[in-house]
Amino acid sequence: MSPAGSGLLETAFTRQLGIEVPIICGAMYPCTNPELVAAVSEAGGIGIIQPISLTYVYRHDFRAGVRHMRGLTSKPIGMNVLIEKSSKSYHEKMTRWLDIALEEGVRFIITSLGKPDWVVKRVHAAGGLVYHDVTERKWAEKGIDGGVDGLIAVNNRAGGHAGTLSAQELYATLAGYKLPLICAGGIGSEPDFVAALRMGYAGVQMGTRFIATRECGASEAYKRAIVAAQEQDIVLSERITGVPVSVIATPTVVRRLGLKAGFLARWLLRGRRTKHLMRTLYTLRSLWQLKRASLDSSGDNDYWQAGKSVAGIHAIEPAGEIIRRYAAAARQA
Ligand SMILES: Cc1cc2nc3c(=O)[nH]c(=O)nc-3n(C[C@H](O)[C@H](O)[C@H](O)COP(=O)(O)O)c2cc1C
């Protein structure tokens, strides 16, 4: 039985995690800062640590950063583990961060890319849960083979690396696995949230909506651009990481950089030997470019990631206020 008045809010996901509102503030490089993670968790959703953002953009020692967040809220927080085994030093660092997070009491991990089996092993041993980001059936099967507890279905409206399928198509493709499914992408208003829960999703993961919050450390210029943007202003650019990423079509993106990777880069990205090197170069460059753009208050560095959920975002608000409004809408639905 649902507690009185919880309506659509009590789901397999909220029961597994012991949280009140099925809203995840998705990990965002370079936008996730400790105050945002803590504010979302404190309001009853769950905030997700992005370890590179925490250490490289916001300059926290990893363990001290996690402790800082745990000092801001006593409620559960999660962490994003981006699985990338092609670089040994990156893999070692991510493993160390995961171990520290578990030592510090983090019990919810979201894996992206690759095979999450080694993460699941560690997290289950500590009594935690792992959800895996997927854009299609093939990746879901890798996650399920690895033993994950839930799937995050990243659709074609998402910010960051968007999928290719709609929320409905992904639900139809993945519901048969009988794991809790989270809808990621395109949720920017209360009706979007309620519609995802009605569709059968056990929760939503929102990114773009939480950039336009008081707690997010991104510049005011970036936040205002999200509020001002319309759905048609969101375009895919290969210039950041070599694979398409959703960005706001600002003058820099459209005129100066263009949307396609250059011919040489594309050729190198396809080559069996050169593709890892190319990806590493892209990654290093993009980490720096995105960090600079997100913190620059002049607005001149307008290389800003955002998804189509900008359509429903009309103000910069406290993160907790957004959670409370969305929860109220779902209770009344
Ligand atoms: C600026 C930005 C950065 C992101 N960085 C990451 C990341 O580092 N790791 C990750 O797994 N997902 C990342 N994402 C995806 C989000 O966690 C989330 O799935 C997505 O934003 C949902 O779509 P929405 O923006 O329409 O709400 C990012 C999204 C945005 C907008």
Side-chain angles (χ1 to χ4, degrees):
M1 267 290 274
S2 305
S6 68
L8 290 167
L9 286 181
E10 199 201 329
T11 69
F13 172 60
T14 58
R15 281 192 292 272
Q16 267 187 345
L17 265 75
I19 61 172
E20 293 150 57
V21 186
I23 294 180
I24 302 172
C25 172
M28 288 183 284
Y29 182 87
C31 299
T32 305
N33 56 323
E35 290 68 25
L36 177 60
V37 172
V40 170
S41 288
E42 187 59 22
I46 185 158
I48 306 296
I49 302 166
Q50 210 297 352
I52 307 172
S53 206
L54 180 65
T55 54
Y56 177 61
V57 180
Y58 290 98
R59 295 278 170 208
H60 287 273
D61 162 75
F62 186 77
R63 190 186 296 275
V66 177
R67 287 190 177 164
H68 172 53
M69 280 176 260
R70 295 191 61 79
L72 297 174
T73 179
S74 56
K75 301 203 176 154
I77 55 177
M79 172 177 151
N80 183 214
V81 172
L82 284 154
I83 299 169
E84 166 63 66
K85 278 197 161 168
S86 62
S87 154
K88 195 163 168 262
S89 68
Y90 171 82
H91 177 67
E92 282 169 5
K93 194 168 240 183
M94 196 49 96
T95 308
R96 214 165 41 245
W97 282 333
L98 173 61
D99 288 342
I100 295 172
L102 292 170
E103 283 163 23
E104 296 298 326
V106 174
R107 291 290 176 269
F108 181 56
I109 303 296
I110 295 180
T111 46
S112 310
L113 313 170
K115 278 181 70 178
D117 46 350
W118 63 274
V119 179
V120 171
K121 226 164 144 190
R122 280 178 143 75
V123 176
H124 281 177
L129 296 160
V130 179
Y131 276 39
H132 191 50
D133 271 345
V134 303
T135 49
E136 54 183 291
R137 183 187 285 271
K138 170 168 87 171
W139 306 119
E141 279 168 3
K142 281 206 171 165
I144 291 165
D145 285 349
V148 299
D149 305 282
L151 297 172
I152 301 191
V154 181
N155 64 48
N156 56 2
R157 293 171 60 78
H161 291 117
T164 53
L165 301 175
S166 69
Q168 286 90 338
E169 287 165 335
L170 268 175
Y171 187 81
T173 308
L174 303 174
Y177 292 119
K178 307 277 182 231
L179 286 179
L181 279 184
I182 304 294
C183 177
I187 311 289
S189 68
E190 294 95 316
D192 294 336
F193 175 51
V194 170
L197 295 177
R198 284 234 167 92
M199 219 182 282
Y201 281 105
V204 301
Q205 170 160 283
M206 304 188 325
T208 304
R209 172 60 277 199
F210 285 118
I211 299 173
T213 55
R214 298 251 177 83
E215 293 84 356
C216 179
S219 72
E220 289 299 304
Y222 188 173
K223 295 177 190 179
R224 281 199 302 270
I226 286 180
V227 171
Q230 306 293 317
E231 185 161 339
Q232 60 271 23
D233 298 325
I234 302 302
V235 292
L236 290 174
S237 171
E238 293 174 359
R239 302 293 297 216
I240 300 184
T241 58
V243 290
V245 168
S246 289
V247 291
I248 304 178
T250 56
T252 299
V253 167
V254 174
R255 285 191 221 115
R256 227 173 59 215
L257 298 169
L259 303 178
K260 291 264 173 235
F263 169 76
L264 182 63
R266 256 187 291 162
W267 181 65
L268 291 170
L269 276 163
R270 273 201 305 266
R272 204 149 42 96
R273 295 233 182 90
T274 49
K275 93 178 163 196
H276 288 307
L277 171 70
M278 233 10 237
R279 291 221 179 106
T280 308
L281 289 177
Y282 258 113
T283 304
L284 293 176
R285 195 193 57 172
S286 69
L287 287 177
W288 177 76
Q289 271 181 342
L290 289 169
K291 171 182 170 176
R292 197 174 62 142
S294 83
L295 298 178
D296 174 14
S297 56
S298 73
D300 292 343
N301 280 301
D302 50 0
Y303 210 12
W304 294 320
Q305 297 182 78
K308 293 192 169 154
S309 55
V310 290
I313 304 174
H314 306 300
I316 299 167
E317 297 173 276
E321 198 44 49
I322 296 168
I323 305 261
R324 276 185 283 280
R325 244 198 2 258
Y326 279 43
R331 272 191 205 101
Q332 279 155 23

